[in-house]
Amino acid sequence: LNRVYTNSWNKLAVGRCRYGLMLGEDGMVMDDGVTSRLAENHYFMTTTSGGAARVMAWLEDWLQCEWPELKVYLTSVTEQWATLSISGPNARRLLSELAEGVDLEADAFPHMVVRSGKVAGIEARISRVSFTGELGYEVSVATSYGLALWQAFQRVGENYDLTPIGTEALHVLRAEKGYIAVGHDTDGSVTPGDLGMDWIVSKKKDFIGRRSLARADTMRTDRKHFVGLLPETRVPEGAQIVAEYKRRPPMKMIGHVTSCYDSAAMGRPIALALIAGGRERIGETVTIPLTLQGRVVKAEITSPVFYDPKGERLNG
């Protein structure tokens, strides 16, 4: 874990979880996820949803070809677990009606902790993690019990207005919080520094990709930064951003939109973008040309965190 993630894992206690950022050898963000320490020498790693097989092959390549001296063994359990994520201000109360043998109170079960117990009579692993920015739990059970767990949540959830959500709604919620989606807000040319995530890069240890972070190109001050946008209207993801609009090309492109959604919480469209020197441009207005016929959208550059910047809902 210390070698493949940018941050340190030496002091992670049993029963705790930690967010990790994984780089390629070129220093560019490759994957991220939450890893839990289940026992002294037993860890459970999660990856981006579509990245599990790729990351598994990547880790095996390093273990078998570069670090054969390590006594580390990897087992893919993607198909062995069914996981339901429950988020929102009533998540703890709802889960408490189904959980057995687990104290769900905030002091006993804080954010980034994992516990084992029973949920709806089923042996389960419960992690207090969240990709929505709300109070949240992930409940994992053996795959064959997945449907039974879903039905139990639906039944008890009727008292709490429980609503199933899909990927689109999940992405709106994470975008409101400025959470990155690797492969969506990154494209293989983005470093932790570009994302404003220097806080997760250890300066005391080596890891895959570290030396590439010291390349002259990687350290340029005019690299594209991950920022928020407040556009006049919703714009397509991938739309180009220019500092100065002209009726005819060429125009100097300074960035592009990585994510854009209609936010119910904000009551307006919001977007995430990569813009050259973006953190120094916060407060500026930029232009997003959409057609050759001259349709343009104005947008204000902001912080990527639009909603609940102090994380009060996450720690509810």
Side-chain angles (χ1 to χ4, degrees):
L1 291 170
N2 271 323
R3 296 185 187 194
V4 300
Y5 280 128
T6 62
N7 46 333
S8 177
W9 294 78
N10 293 336
K11 296 182 180 180
L12 183 67
V14 173
R16 302 289 301 197
C17 313
R18 182 164 292 168
Y19 174 78
L21 197 64
M22 192 179 295
L23 308 184
E25 291 181 272
D26 57 1
M28 304 302 160
V29 174
M30 170 186 167
D31 198 79
D32 68 345
V34 173
T35 295
S36 309
R37 190 172 190 176
L38 305 179
E40 183 179 358
N41 294 312
H42 186 195
Y43 294 83
F44 179 68
M45 176 190 286
T46 65
T47 67
T48 51
S49 299
R54 178 170 56 92
V55 171
M56 180 73 177
W58 171 256
L59 298 180
E60 283 286 14
D61 185 44
W62 282 90
L63 276 175
Q64 294 182 35
C65 301
E66 305 296 335
W67 307 323
E69 74 282 2
L70 295 185
K71 294 183 179 179
V72 175
Y73 308 96
L74 308 176
T75 303
S76 173
V77 294
T78 298
E79 297 178 354
Q80 278 65 50
W81 292 94
T83 300
L84 272 70
S85 176
I86 177 172
S87 294
N90 288 322
R92 181 182 292 113
R93 278 180 282 177
L94 194 163
L95 185 57
S96 66
E97 294 196 28
L98 293 170
E100 306 170 40
V102 181
D103 186 351
L104 297 175
E105 289 303 313
D107 291 341
F109 201 153
H111 185 55
M112 299 302 272
V113 161
V114 59
R115 297 277 188 266
S116 294
K118 288 188 175 182
V119 178
I122 306 167
E123 294 289 344
R125 182 181 296 151
I126 307 170
S127 303
R128 187 174 164 188
V129 296
S130 174
F131 191 44
T132 64
E134 296 285 332
L135 169 65
Y137 300 88
E138 290 186 358
V139 182
S140 300
V141 298
T143 303
S144 57
Y145 290 102
L147 178 59
L149 184 66
W150 173 279
Q151 292 171 336
F153 271 119
Q154 288 287 84
R155 183 178 66 255
V156 175
E158 290 180 358
N159 299 322
Y160 298 95
D161 294 325
L162 182 70
T163 302
I165 67 169
T167 303
E168 178 73 6
L170 178 66
H171 273 289
V172 174
L173 294 168
R174 66 93 192 165
E176 289 171 348
K177 291 289 294 180
Y179 293 163
I180 64 165
V182 173
H184 199 111
D185 298 304
T186 67
D187 59 3
S189 67
V190 180
T191 70
D194 298 339
L195 295 171
M197 295 179 66
D198 287 323
W199 55 269
I200 203 173
V201 179
S202 173
K203 301 200 172 34
K204 298 180 179 180
K205 70 178 182 76
D206 197 12
F207 52 84
I208 297 172
R210 179 179 179 178
R211 68 179 181 177
S212 293
L213 297 180
R215 293 187 300 120
D217 181 69
T218 311
M219 299 178 69
R220 285 188 293 109
T221 57
D222 61 344
R223 288 183 62 85
K224 293 180 182 178
H225 297 161
F226 183 63
V227 293
L229 288 178
L230 293 176
E232 296 171 321
T233 185
R234 186 168 175 176
V235 294
E237 295 174 355
Q240 305 296 291
I241 300 169
V242 298
E244 183 180 0
Y245 174 72
K246 300 177 182 178
R247 293 288 298 178
R248 293 171 179 263
M251 288 174 277
K252 184 178 180 181
M253 190 270 287
I254 60 171
H256 68 279
V257 176
T258 63
S259 301
C260 187
Y261 307 99
D262 289 316
S263 167
M266 300 298 294
R268 57 161 302 138
I270 61 171
L272 300 170
L274 289 168
I275 297 178
R279 286 191 289 273
E280 286 72 49
R281 293 174 178 262
I282 288 179
E284 290 185 16
T285 298
V286 292
T287 303
I288 305 171
L290 294 182
T291 67
L292 293 176
Q293 287 72 38
R295 182 179 170 227
V296 298
V297 173
K298 298 287 187 180
E300 179 187 350
I301 302 176
T302 70
S303 161
V305 183
F306 298 95
Y307 186 67
D308 186 31
K310 295 182 179 180
E312 294 172 347
R313 299 180 71 88
L314 179 72
N315 295 305

